[in-house]
Structures are given as C-alpha cells and as structure tokens.
Amino acid sequence: MFRGSLDTIILKMLNNNSEMYGYEISQEVKKLSDGAFEIKEGALYPALHRLEAKGLLETESRSIGNRIRKYYRLSPKGNKESKTQISEMQEFLQQMNSFLKLKPS
Amino acid sequence: MFRGSLDTIILKMLNNNSEMYGYEISQEVKKLSDGAFEIKEGALYPALHRLEAKGLLETESRSIGNRIRKYYRLSPKGNKESKTQISEMQEFLQQMNSFLKLKPS
DNA sequence: TAAATATACATAAAATTCTTAGGTATATAA
DNA sequence: TTATATACCTAAGAATTTTATGTATATTTA
C-alpha cells in the first residue's frame, strides 16, 4: 500500500462506524476499496495501539462465544482528529493530482 | 510531507525536465506546488542516490563558476519507471479519494 | 565591507512506519 | 479431519523521513 495513509484509513473507518474491531476494519477496508487497500496485520495492530496511546481511540473487549474481540471507537479527541486528517489527506490528494498533471514548461 | 511520494515527485520533475540538479528540484517542487511540498535536503539527496543506484537516474557533474552542480536525468529505465509510478500514484489518488468520500452505511 | 542569507552538495543518528515472519487459539467449511 | 477463516499479538529487519550537522561559494543587505 501507500505509506503514511494507514492511520487516516483507520480513522475514516471509525468515523463512519461507531465501533469496529481490528479484523473487521481490515476486511471492510479491503471490501470497500475493491481489494485495492490490503492492511497487513503486522501494520494494523501496532497502528491501533499507537492511535490508542495517542488518546484518539478507546477500546472495549467483548466476548463473542469463546473468542475475544477488541472493539475500538473514536474518543472525542479522535473524532476531531479524524476530521482533520481526512481533510488534510483530501487536500494532499488534490495537490498531488495537480502536480502530476503539470506539463513541461 | 506525505510519506512514500518523494520518489514519484522526483521522477515526475525529471520526466518534465530533461535535466535538473538536486537543489533545483527542491526549489521547483516548492514553487510549482505553491509551497505545499517542501522537500528536506536530508530526504532529497539520499533519495536521488537511491534512484541512481537503482539505475533510474544518470548524473553529470558540472562546474558553474567555482561551484559544482550534479545534474540528474532519467535513464531509459527511469523514463519507463517514471510513467509507471505516476500512473500508479494517480490510481491511488482516485482510490483514496473514493474511499474518503464513502458515507456511513 | 561585514554579516546574513542563498546556493549546493553531503552524511549520520534517531524516529517512524511498514513488511515479513512468526506465535496462539477458536470456529467453520471442505 | 484437515484446511481455512476468524481474531488477537509481537519482534526483527527494511525502508523512508526528520533532525542535526558539516562544508563551501555566491549574493544580498545592513
């Protein structure tokens, strides 16, 4: 995938869905992007832990049958930060798009 | 800046201009992006050396007064690779744009 | 004219993020 | 019953970036 966008992708998912667990995020992102974005577990879980450590995510572990799922949701700070990061990413997409369309002078 | 896009930016610049030196690339990128993309020297020079090591760039050092400028241009391989990377980046921009516009289901 | 800024290259340490590879365990499908 | 899917995790290494520093010449400003 393209480096540096994982946090924004996670925050976007949790902005759209009140709560999700890690595995669910990876599956949904893959599905919603038609397979374009594949989040590796070795990137996903450390990212979730980082975002939690920054106070952007809150967690709740829940038993489903004999399994444990760790649900994540945006904290108030995370809710704000998700909007910021989504906007900044969209701005970047625009800038990069313009840049790549530049013709030789 | 946003991670992972530096190589593409450099290749784009050298695709548009037959030859450029490092400092010129950083100044032009800043100017063309209205200040949005600022390439730090500590990222730029290692990136140029990497791209050269991969065989994508060719260099020629030239004396300008008492100074030396190291001019870079795309190798045939680099010319091909620049088009590939630009296309892939544009595809990513589209995918990310669509993804960020998704509404809650 | 002296000092500050711009030009022009470079590297090294540390930080960040990602891939690869492994580990554990339950549930379901073949 | 074996393979795949679900569900979490971490650690080593790779790759890229920031920060900091170094060197030196040229130009602008005070």
Side-chain angles (χ1 to χ4, degrees):
Chain A
M1 202 178 0
F2 281 86
R3 316 92 228 254
S5 50
L6 178 56
D7 285 11
T8 307
I9 289 172
I10 291 171
L11 293 174
K12 167 65 181 173
M13 289 305 291
L14 289 172
N15 196 295
N16 272 26
N17 305 275
S18 59
E19 58 173 19
M20 298 184 86
Y21 55 97
Y23 189 78
E24 186 184 17
I25 292 175
S26 70
Q27 298 306 304
E28 274 294 290
V29 166
K30 187 175 178 180
K31 189 178 156 197
L32 291 172
S33 68
D34 292 312
F37 301 157
E38 285 206 51
I39 307 178
K40 306 239 166 64
E41 296 192 323
L44 174 64
Y45 292 110
L48 287 169
H49 300 162
R50 275 200 308 273
L51 293 169
E52 188 185 2
K54 285 182 190 167
L56 304 182
L57 304 185
E58 292 165 352
T59 64
E60 187 189 339
S61 289
R62 238 175 269 159
S63 286
I64 307 293
N66 277 20
R67 284 246 205 64
I68 290 176
R69 281 187 193 155
K70 204 165 158 187
Y71 281 88
Y72 289 87
R73 77 173 71 80
L74 294 177
S75 69
K77 188 177 168 188
N79 187 54
K80 211 178 153 193
E81 180 65 16
S82 74
K83 295 186 201 322
T84 303
Q85 285 208 25
I86 290 166
S87 293
E88 285 179 357
M89 177 62 78
Q90 285 174 325
E91 200 191 337
F92 169 75
L93 297 179
Q94 277 305 309
Q95 290 163 339
M96 182 60 77
N97 192 48
S98 302
F99 182 81
L100 293 182
K101 283 201 292 209
L102 287 172
K103 301 251 169 71
S105 49
Chain B
M1 200 176 3
F2 282 87
R3 298 108 209 298
S5 48
L6 179 55
D7 286 9
T8 306
I9 288 172
I10 291 172
L11 292 174
K12 167 66 181 172
M13 289 306 290
L14 290 172
N15 196 295
N16 271 26
N17 305 276
S18 61
E19 58 173 19
M20 298 185 86
Y21 54 97
Y23 190 77
E24 188 185 16
I25 292 175
S26 71
Q27 299 306 304
E28 274 295 290
V29 165
K30 186 175 177 179
K31 190 180 157 197
L32 292 172
S33 68
D34 292 311
F37 302 157
E38 286 205 50
I39 307 179
K40 307 239 166 65
E41 295 192 319
L44 173 65
Y45 292 110
L48 288 169
H49 300 163
R50 276 200 307 273
L51 294 170
E52 188 186 2
K54 285 182 191 168
L56 304 182
L57 304 185
E58 292 165 352
T59 65
E60 187 188 338
S61 290
R62 238 175 271 159
S63 285
I64 307 293
N66 277 20
R67 283 246 203 67
I68 291 176
R69 280 186 193 157
K70 206 166 160 187
Y71 281 88
Y72 290 87
R73 77 173 72 79
L74 293 179
S75 69
K77 188 177 167 187
N79 187 53
K80 211 178 151 192
E81 180 66 15
S82 74
K83 295 186 201 321
T84 302
Q85 283 207 26
I86 290 167
S87 292
E88 286 179 356
M89 176 63 77
Q90 285 174 326
E91 200 192 337
F92 169 74
L93 298 179
Q94 277 306 309
Q95 289 163 340
M96 182 59 79
N97 192 47
S98 301
F99 182 81
L100 293 181
K101 283 201 292 210
L102 288 171
K103 302 252 168 69
S105 49

